[in-house]
Amino acid sequence: MTDHTVKKNPASIPHSIWPAEALRRAEKEAADSLGLTLYELMLRAGDAAFSVARAAYPQAHHWLILCGHGNNGGDGYVVARRAVAAGIHVTLLALESDKPLPEEAARARDAWLEAAGTLHAADILWPEGVDLIVDGLLGTGLHSAPRERVSNLITHANHHPAPVLALDIPSGLMAQTGTAPGAVIHADHTVTFIGLKPGLLTGKARDVVGRLHHNALGLEGWLAGQTTAITRFDASQLPEWFPPRRPTSHKGDHGRLVIIGGDHGTAGAIRMTGEAALRAGAGLVRILTRSENITPIVTARPELMVHALTPQALDDSLEWADVVVIGPGLGQTPWGKQALQKVEQFRKPMLWDADALNLLAINPDKRHNRILTPHPGEAARLLNCSVAEIESDRLHSAQRLVKRYGGVAVLKGAGTVVASETGWLGIVDAGNAGMASGGMGDVLSGIIGALLGQKLALYDAACAGCTAHGAAADHLASRYGTRGMLATDLFDTLRRVVNPDVIDLKND
């Protein structure tokens, strides 16, 4: 069974992500440009997967290899031949079809048979003693739920005690969207080839990919010369966003941030947003909230400037501010609605979250100076659709948000997606299940708001903020685990990740 503890991606995982269809076209173009055949690439893929399997499970002596009727199955045949040559006992189950195998897969199957390999029917009784399962059933071309016989094999593999290594992508997972329309392999390791696919990083991916490995199959040079539409963001990029500060800098250099919200009963939300902004480096943070919240917030964090939200205080604050964050604990009463109506006219960078998004869904408008940070439920309201539709294609949903509302959209979740109306698209490869607790979104709003105040552009602030947020949580989880993580626990580690010039997270 898959171990869902926090795993760090190996340094070899690229930051460029290829749309699934584009990658399928690029594979042949790259091979042709380098004088390689697709069969040679298949041999390299099988060798790469065998090496990962051998390193991860050196004591496994009986491998069960599931080969589908496509090139993913061809990779499986290569793995099988390498395993037998290494003295490993292999049982290979091959799916039958009325259609012939693709040319490369057929060559790989014939080479397996010539090496005295045996093809077993997919519906045989699985042998005893299997200690590793290799999934080569379905590749990146999946467009619907697996058929019954494949689904049965997937279910059997998921219930078997042996670990699973998936070739290119876990069978049943869609390479572009990360959705699983039916049964899906729960892999312990996935070895993906040539380019990184978005479906390995968002949607259902975190549940089923396990530890991700990447091998470009010798195409690194060609790939480096290509431009992809999607970027993977992780903690290794933090130094690019957080350079050392000038010794002579002062608080005015790092942004004057106004945060608006905290209706009755939600003082905690606005306080967390404010403190997160300070921990992310904001120079000055002013909170406008209900008058009864002032004393508790100032007592907990005296560095915050807290005022009652009145029309005059709001006017003065908008004149003073470099950046506005509105929404945490805002509510949907006239108190919050009137504040939002005034903030709509703010021309500097701003972030809308929580009830600001719910009010925006009622009265939509398009603005180019705004970051929206919805979770899937809020995104569904903003796009007048179901949560299932949002989750069925998270990248497309984020793009729909910026097309409709302008600026930048942050679609939160496992594999957060960031989209800009200028066409930039990113997936944040940081964070863990410990973040599934109240207040995490409030903290994120404060972080991104602080980065806007430190002169990052909308898209950069969103990507950097989400990455720092996730990296702080990952550092916590690596020390204490994911269960019981609180949003306020992030403040100490957040301070560490936004100072990468002095803090070595690997050795801290």
Side-chain angles (χ1 to χ4, degrees):
M1 300 298 290
T2 301
D3 175 12
H4 294 300
T5 56
V6 175
K7 303 178 180 71
K8 297 296 184 184
N9 282 311
S12 61
I13 304 299
H15 288 110
S16 296
I17 303 173
W18 287 77
E21 288 295 335
L23 186 58
R24 280 190 282 273
R25 294 191 299 269
E27 179 177 358
K28 188 175 189 312
E29 183 180 343
D32 289 344
S33 71
L34 297 174
L36 298 170
T37 67
L38 293 180
Y39 183 62
E40 287 172 316
L41 290 183
M42 181 172 286
L43 293 177
R44 293 181 181 188
D47 288 348
F50 172 78
S51 296
V52 170
R54 197 68 163 139
Y57 302 104
Q59 303 304 316
H61 298 297
H62 186 177
W63 295 10
L64 179 74
I65 301 182
L66 307 174
C67 290
H69 203 74
N71 283 333
N72 196 244
D75 297 337
Y77 288 117
V78 179
V79 173
R81 188 156 52 88
R82 284 292 312 275
V84 166
I88 297 167
H89 180 47
V90 170
T91 301
L92 188 147
L93 276 56
L95 284 172
E96 297 178 355
S97 175
D98 295 334
K99 298 179 180 178
L101 278 172
E103 178 184 351
E104 295 79 21
R107 287 185 65 182
R109 178 199 58 194
D110 293 345
W112 162 247
L113 292 173
E114 289 169 6
T118 302
L119 302 181
H120 295 279
D123 58 356
I124 67 164
L125 185 67
W126 287 18
E128 298 289 334
V130 169
D131 45 17
L132 177 65
I133 298 169
V134 177
D135 162 36
L137 289 171
L138 302 171
T140 60
L142 182 71
H143 295 292
S144 59
R147 295 180 180 179
E148 183 178 3
R149 58 180 180 168
V150 178
S151 179
N152 290 339
L153 287 171
I154 290 173
T155 300
H156 198 163
N158 287 341
H159 286 89
H160 196 280
V164 179
L165 181 139
L167 305 179
D168 210 14
I169 191 167
S171 292
L173 189 68
M174 299 182 75
Q176 179 63 25
T177 64
T179 55
V184 59
I185 283 284
H186 286 240
D188 296 89
H189 292 262
T190 297
V191 188
T192 199
F193 309 122
I194 304 180
L196 199 59
K197 299 85 177 166
L200 292 167
L201 299 171
T202 193
K204 184 75 171 176
R206 290 288 187 93
D207 283 344
V208 303
V209 167
R211 188 177 297 275
L212 180 62
H213 308 260
H214 168 260
N215 194 299
L217 308 184
L219 305 182
E220 294 87 348
W222 186 89
L223 293 169
Q226 309 302 308
T227 301
T228 60
I230 315 169
T231 303
R232 182 181 74 91
F233 294 105
D234 68 4
S236 71
Q237 292 150 297
L238 290 171
E240 300 173 21
W241 292 309
F242 298 99
R245 286 183 167 179
R246 290 183 297 104
T248 57
S249 65
H250 57 83
K251 60 189 176 184
D253 293 333
H254 305 304
R256 294 173 295 189
L257 175 61
V258 168
I259 303 173
I260 303 166
D263 201 352
H264 298 299
T266 58
I270 204 71
R271 179 251 161 138
M272 286 188 287
T273 304
E275 183 161 352
L278 290 173
R279 290 300 187 191
L284 294 164
V285 179
R286 179 184 295 182
I287 287 177
L288 300 182
T289 186
R290 289 287 187 179
S291 58
E292 62 264 32
N293 296 337
I294 296 175
T295 298
I297 294 174
V298 172
T299 302
R301 182 47 63 203
E303 295 86 351
L304 293 168
M305 300 177 288
V306 190
H307 303 271
L309 175 57
T310 63
Q312 185 61 52
L314 183 55
D315 286 341
D316 293 344
S317 295
L318 294 179
E319 180 69 25
W320 172 84
D322 299 315
V323 177
V324 168
V325 172
I326 186 167
L330 184 70
Q332 298 185 46
T333 67
W335 180 82
K337 289 180 180 179
Q338 290 166 9
L340 188 64
Q341 288 168 0
K342 180 74 70 172
V343 169
E344 286 176 346
Q345 308 310 313
F346 190 68
R347 297 298 180 225
K348 298 174 186 177
M350 57 182 173
L351 181 148
W352 291 26
D353 186 30
D355 276 319
L357 301 175
N358 294 324
L359 292 171
L360 178 62
I362 298 170
N363 294 296
D365 64 31
K366 189 171 187 176
R367 300 192 181 277
H368 308 294
N369 61 326
R370 178 176 61 195
I371 298 175
L372 306 179
T373 57
H375 58 57
E378 292 160 344
R381 288 189 282 276
L382 287 166
L383 294 176
N384 193 28
C385 65
S386 67
V387 172
E389 187 176 346
I390 294 293
E391 293 288 72
S392 69
D393 191 336
R394 289 172 51 80
L395 277 76
H396 182 59
S397 295
Q399 291 171 314
R400 289 177 61 198
L401 285 166
V402 294
K403 183 177 180 180
R404 176 67 185 85
Y405 293 97
V408 168
V410 174
L411 180 55
K412 296 183 288 193
T416 290
V417 177
V418 184
S420 79
E421 61 181 324
T422 56
W424 294 329
L425 194 60
I427 300 177
V428 179
D429 193 16
N432 59 77
M435 303 173 79
S437 62
M440 288 291 178
D442 303 315
V443 169
L444 177 62
S445 293
I447 296 170
I448 297 175
L451 299 185
L452 289 172
Q454 292 169 77
K455 309 299 189 296
L456 270 70
L458 293 184
Y459 181 74
D460 291 337
C463 295
C466 291
T467 303
H469 187 231
D474 285 343
H475 187 51
L476 272 176
S478 69
R479 299 182 65 181
Y480 306 114
T482 57
R483 187 173 285 110
M485 187 186 297
L486 304 181
T488 52
D489 292 339
L490 266 62
F491 292 148
D492 184 52
T493 52
L494 174 62
R495 185 181 179 187
R496 297 164 184 258
V497 302
V498 299
N499 290 286
D501 55 313
V502 295
I503 297 294
D504 183 353
L505 288 175
K506 293 181 180 178
N507 298 317
D508 180 49

